[in-house]
Amino acid sequence: MQHSTVLGISIIAVLALSACGKHEPSTETKSSSSGKAIVKIGHVAPLTGSIAHLGKDNENGVRLAIEDANAKGVEIGGKKITFQLVTEDDQADPKISTIVAQKLVDAKVAGVIGHLNSGTTIPASKIYADAGIPQISGSATTPKYTQQGFKTAFRLMANDIQQGLVLSNFITSELNAKQVAIIDDRSAYGQGLADEVEKNVKSNGAKIVAREYTNEKATDFKSILTAIKAQNPEVVFYGGMDATGGPMLKQMRELGIKAQFLQGDGGCTHQFIKLAGNAAEGFKCSQAGMPVVMMPNAEDFQSRFEKKFGHIQLYAPYTYDATSVLIAAMQKAKSTDPAKYLPELAKISYDGVTGKVEFDDKGDLRAGYITLYEVKLGKLAVLSMHNASTILKTTEIK
């Protein structure tokens, strides 16, 4: 009896020591039915709430990329791989974003596409960085995201410094506005872009006659619009999303405000036109990217995407490429281990549907574009395209 007890204690001690040894968690699990290794790719966006249409658009871009990779029968490190989408809803809420980010870390995803909003992407990025999991956002444009020094953070489009320059130059040079009113929704994205526009409009010699703010869930804007009306602005710029921008423009016209209304990419959507109704005609906006019809390799993608999911809302081509780039980096590294494929991701050169994907030392896209649009006959029509890299270099030279 005593001998058995000692033996049992010895076995337990050995097992405990083995458990204490450092062991890197595997990102692969075995499928009993197919014999293939399953590799999880995470995605996060608001899938409920007022901008769920954008979140589903992002998710469907990831979904199609995973389906395409699985159809090709990808092999990594001599193993046949089946990629599996693990998607979470952060409800565009920064607090929830950290909760779902930790869920993805606990689920041992090999990489993450997202988040959609800048305000959710930033707090979540710290969690992914601490876990060593690569993250690519196809839609978060705030500069702060890639300025935190995280080696795991990447962005697949131009940022708001570049977008703000294009918008402000358009306001002062093309619209020749001298008096500008600015509103933002107090989100990291909305306020950040509005600040960039304000800074550059001022440097271009125009006057900011009003600076107001609302929130992402507001529906009645007549109080702040009435205050703005008294200042007689020639242009009203709104930093926010389409769910609030559309109704805001509609209420502007109801109050008799004839100023030109502008937004960044958050409002440059078909949903905005739907929400603004007849007031949308002549609305001008920017997108941190080029039109789908002008993307180098997007014709087949657009056809297949729209047949399966319906009209592209905004960011789906970018989340498709983000997913494809993650997988390409794994293939180059011959490993799905984030620590092993992260160096390949940082130096990747990939021809995606949106164009050439290469990252700088911060994780920003090397050659992004900004496109200006105008609503004509109820549709977004291209006004002009601007190379984001050239914009920054020209500004730095000045």
Side-chain angles (χ1 to χ4, degrees):
M1 185 76 174
Q2 188 176 4
H3 176 74
S4 299
T5 304
V6 171
L7 180 61
I9 291 170
S10 299
I11 292 170
I12 291 168
V14 170
L15 290 172
L17 285 170
S18 298
C20 289
K22 189 173 182 182
H23 176 67
E24 294 296 326
S26 175
T27 56
E28 298 175 4
T29 57
K30 196 79 170 180
S31 169
S32 57
S33 58
S34 66
K36 294 182 180 180
I38 295 173
V39 174
K40 299 173 183 176
I41 293 179
H43 165 264
V44 191
L47 304 176
T48 55
S50 62
I51 57 171
H53 58 289
L54 297 178
K56 287 301 293 184
D57 191 53
N58 278 25
E59 180 186 78
N60 288 335
V62 179
R63 191 181 303 280
L64 186 58
I66 287 176
E67 289 177 2
D68 285 352
N70 287 339
K72 290 175 184 174
V74 173
E75 286 194 15
I76 297 176
K79 298 178 184 177
K80 291 183 178 180
I81 301 293
T82 295
F83 293 100
Q84 184 180 89
L85 173 62
V86 182
T87 190
E88 295 287 348
D89 177 10
D90 65 12
Q91 300 174 42
D93 185 323
K95 291 180 181 178
I96 295 175
S97 75
T98 58
I99 295 170
V100 297
Q102 189 59 53
K103 280 182 68 177
L104 291 180
V105 171
D106 294 342
K108 297 185 173 119
V109 297
V112 175
I113 310 301
H115 299 204
L116 187 152
N117 308 75
S118 294
T120 54
T121 302
I122 292 169
S125 64
K126 173 70 164 59
I127 292 171
Y128 301 131
D130 288 346
I133 296 175
Q135 170 194 14
I136 307 179
S137 177
S139 51
T141 53
T142 187
K144 184 180 176 182
Y145 167 51
T146 52
Q147 291 175 352
Q148 300 173 97
F150 298 149
K151 297 299 182 184
T152 51
F154 300 87
R155 185 200 328 267
L156 214 70
M157 56 169 47
N159 64 38
D160 286 337
I161 294 174
Q162 299 156 330
Q163 193 170 191
L165 279 166
V166 171
L167 285 162
S168 55
N169 289 342
F170 180 74
I171 288 168
T172 55
S173 299
E174 299 298 321
L175 298 179
N176 298 310
K178 300 298 181 184
Q179 298 200 128
V180 179
I182 295 178
I183 310 169
D184 72 74
D185 65 0
R186 296 286 101 167
S187 69
Y189 160 72
Q191 185 176 353
L193 182 56
D195 287 346
E196 289 295 329
V197 171
E198 178 177 6
K199 177 180 70 177
N200 290 295
V201 161
K202 284 180 177 178
S203 70
N204 288 348
K207 182 181 179 182
I208 304 299
V209 297
R211 178 72 194 253
E212 300 285 347
Y213 64 90
T214 181
N215 64 73
E216 298 167 278
K217 297 180 180 178
T219 56
D220 186 350
F221 310 100
K222 289 190 176 178
S223 177
I224 59 174
L225 291 174
T226 299
I228 284 172
K229 182 180 181 181
Q231 302 304 316
N232 297 311
E234 298 159 275
V235 168
V236 175
F237 176 80
Y238 175 53
M241 305 300 287
D242 54 11
T244 43
M248 185 181 291
L249 176 54
K250 197 171 186 179
Q251 290 172 38
M252 263 182 61
R253 298 300 181 239
E254 289 169 356
L255 289 171
I257 301 173
K258 296 180 180 179
Q260 176 67 61
F261 187 73
L262 274 80
Q263 273 194 258
D265 55 308
C268 208
T269 68
H270 301 281
Q271 182 72 1
F272 175 95
I273 298 170
K274 181 180 177 181
L275 293 170
N278 294 334
E281 197 66 18
F283 164 70
K284 295 175 177 64
C285 57
S286 63
Q287 286 185 11
M290 65 176 67
V292 176
V293 293
M294 296 182 185
M295 290 175 182
N297 308 305
E299 186 176 352
D300 177 61
F301 164 80
Q302 183 177 14
S303 174
R304 292 189 301 111
F305 183 95
E306 294 188 346
K307 184 177 181 180
K308 190 175 184 67
F309 303 113
H311 198 86
I312 294 171
Q313 292 290 333
L314 189 56
Y315 303 119
Y318 299 95
T319 57
Y320 178 91
D321 270 1
T323 310
S324 301
V325 165
L326 270 187
I327 294 170
M330 292 177 195
Q331 289 177 297
K332 283 183 175 292
K334 298 180 181 178
S335 175
T336 61
D337 181 348
K340 292 179 181 177
Y341 84 79
L342 180 58
E344 293 295 341
L345 180 60
K347 63 184 180 182
I348 200 88
S349 181
Y350 182 85
D351 289 316
V353 300
T354 60
K356 178 74 76 176
V357 177
E358 294 176 338
F359 300 111
D360 65 16
D361 58 357
K362 286 188 175 69
D364 280 316
L365 191 66
R366 286 191 184 277
Y369 283 84
I370 308 291
T371 305
L372 288 171
Y373 293 84
E374 179 180 9
V375 175
K376 293 182 179 179
L377 300 176
K379 294 182 179 180
L380 288 167
V382 174
L383 280 176
S384 58
M385 283 178 59
H386 307 262
N387 186 301
S389 300
T390 303
I391 292 162
L392 281 186
K393 285 176 184 176
T394 304
T395 306
E396 287 165 2
I397 291 169
K398 288 180 181 179

